[in-house]
Amino acid sequence: MNRDDKTQFVADMREVFEGAEGVIVTQYKGLTVAEITALRAQMRDAGAGFKVTKNRLTRLALEGTKFAGLADHFTGPTAIAYSADPASVAKVASTFAKANDKLVLVAGAIGEQILDEQGVKALAELPSLDELRAKLVGMIQTPAQRIATLTSKPAAQIAQVLKAYAEKGEAA
């Protein structure tokens, strides 16, 4: 890489770190291009990204960001997984690592909180942002449905009584 390429790489990586809420550092030694491509596709489907890094340049990009505590974990063949939803990126990375032992989860971060491998796996067990939103909407809708049911019952009962009187009047 020439100097301009390195400068651009650092700027791109800094942009990734500034836009992400969760980052996972992985080592990918032994993965084939096809396997990395499959992992990238899975990440993309989850709204995340996967990027092979240059360690020294990535450490430069980390300086001054909320993920600066991850700098010590960039040794060997590393790549990062990143997303605005930390749980979803952890799920995809953890699931892929279970199926393919060549991908090693090294560390992760949610903002300034640094996680070890076990922390990343625990994060993967949490529901994603979309799942949490769905649960919240369900919880909000349930009381409203109950109120609507309770308020409509008296009106339905009155309608049934009026219908019975109407039918009685027609029969007479």
Side-chain angles (χ1 to χ4, degrees):
M1 285 182 124
N2 65 32
R3 188 173 195 82
D4 292 335
D5 292 339
K6 289 177 182 179
T7 303
Q8 184 61 44
F9 183 85
V10 170
D12 291 345
M13 290 302 292
R14 185 174 298 272
E15 190 175 307
V16 165
F17 292 130
E18 289 173 354
E21 290 299 321
V23 173
I24 297 174
V25 180
T26 65
Q27 290 190 342
Y28 63 93
K29 186 175 183 179
L31 285 177
T32 65
V33 172
E35 290 169 332
I36 290 177
T37 302
L39 176 56
R40 280 191 175 121
Q42 290 175 18
M43 289 285 181
R44 202 173 19 257
D45 290 344
F50 185 79
K51 190 173 188 85
V52 174
T53 63
K54 299 242 180 241
N55 294 334
R56 189 177 57 78
L57 297 176
T58 303
R59 281 190 222 111
L60 288 173
L62 281 168
E63 290 176 5
T65 68
K66 58 189 169 190
F67 302 112
L70 287 174
D72 295 339
H73 298 286
F74 285 89
T75 57
T78 58
I80 60 166
Y82 55 92
S83 175
D85 181 6
S88 68
V89 73
K91 280 182 193 223
V92 174
S94 182
T95 303
F96 192 88
K98 284 179 189 174
N100 192 330
D101 61 347
K102 294 175 189 169
L103 182 73
V104 178
L105 304 177
V106 176
I110 302 173
E112 294 181 5
Q113 178 68 40
I114 305 300
L115 307 170
D116 61 359
E117 179 184 356
Q118 296 305 317
V120 172
K121 288 180 181 178
L123 179 61
E125 299 297 320
L126 294 175
S128 70
L129 198 55
D130 289 337
E131 291 169 343
L132 287 173
R133 286 179 181 147
K135 286 180 183 180
L136 182 63
V137 168
M139 289 170 52
I140 291 171
Q141 285 180 340
T142 300
Q145 289 172 342
R146 287 184 183 159
I147 290 171
T149 303
L150 290 174
T151 57
S152 68
K153 282 197 180 205
Q157 289 172 347
I158 291 172
Q160 287 175 349
V161 169
L162 291 175
K163 181 180 176 187
Y165 278 118
E167 288 174 357
K168 185 178 179 183
E170 287 177 8

